[in-house]
Amino acid sequence: MWLDHHELDELEDRAFDVDEWKGTLVFERVATSLPCPRCGTQMKRFRYRYFNLELDFCEQAHGYWLDKGEERQILELMRKTKASALRKLKAEDRFRRFRYYLDHPGFLETLKRWIAGS
């Protein structure tokens, strides 16, 4: 399946649309024997966002070749990336609330009285 340059982002956005959390798109470029269907230049292969998935792309930003089933793999990887990002945000929020209570003088006094009363 051929995806124009912007269509890969649109595919990813079906599962996760926060670009700054997705990570770098292209890792480890390697030449292929495939010509770009738009400009004819030799396409490159790369590790997609450092996952164990290799895609072919045109360095002139014309687009990407996806082999059978790779669109489903991309969506699954974006779902996992979203779940991981949400876990991180929840953990940061819990820690922020915990720090608030630790820094709050009333909490420390309550804790001292509780320990002294034990």
Side-chain angles (χ1 to χ4, degrees):
M1 168 190 313
W2 175 259
L3 294 180
D4 287 336
H5 192 267
H6 69 280
E7 290 177 317
L8 179 61
D9 190 50
E10 291 172 6
L11 174 65
E12 291 177 334
D13 285 352
R14 291 181 193 173
F16 186 45
D17 63 355
V18 183
D19 289 340
E20 56 271 10
W21 286 74
K22 291 178 183 176
T24 301
L25 178 64
V26 177
F27 283 93
E28 301 176 11
R29 300 170 191 213
V30 178
T32 71
S33 60
L34 296 172
C36 172
R38 290 267 182 90
C39 66
T41 61
Q42 186 180 24
M43 296 183 69
K44 303 285 186 194
R45 179 167 287 133
F46 71 100
R47 287 186 62 190
Y48 171 75
R49 298 194 186 278
Y50 212 63
F51 292 109
N52 193 22
L53 174 63
E54 291 186 340
L55 301 178
D56 301 306
F57 77 110
C58 173
E59 285 191 302
Q60 306 302 315
H62 290 128
Y64 304 87
W65 273 119
L66 274 61
D67 295 332
K68 185 176 181 177
E70 287 180 336
E71 73 280 359
R72 288 189 303 274
Q73 286 180 281
I74 289 170
L75 289 172
E76 183 59 30
L77 290 169
M78 285 299 98
R79 285 184 194 105
K80 288 179 181 178
T81 300
K82 179 180 181 178
S84 176
L86 291 175
R87 275 193 306 274
K88 181 180 179 193
L89 287 173
K90 287 178 184 177
E92 288 174 353
D93 183 55
R94 284 192 301 266
F95 183 72
R96 189 173 31 259
R97 284 184 278 141
F98 176 70
R99 286 293 312 226
Y100 170 79
Y101 289 113
L102 283 180
D103 293 340
H104 193 271
F107 174 78
L108 291 176
E109 292 305 315
T110 302
L111 184 60
K112 287 178 187 175
R113 283 194 304 271
W114 180 79
I115 292 172
S118 302

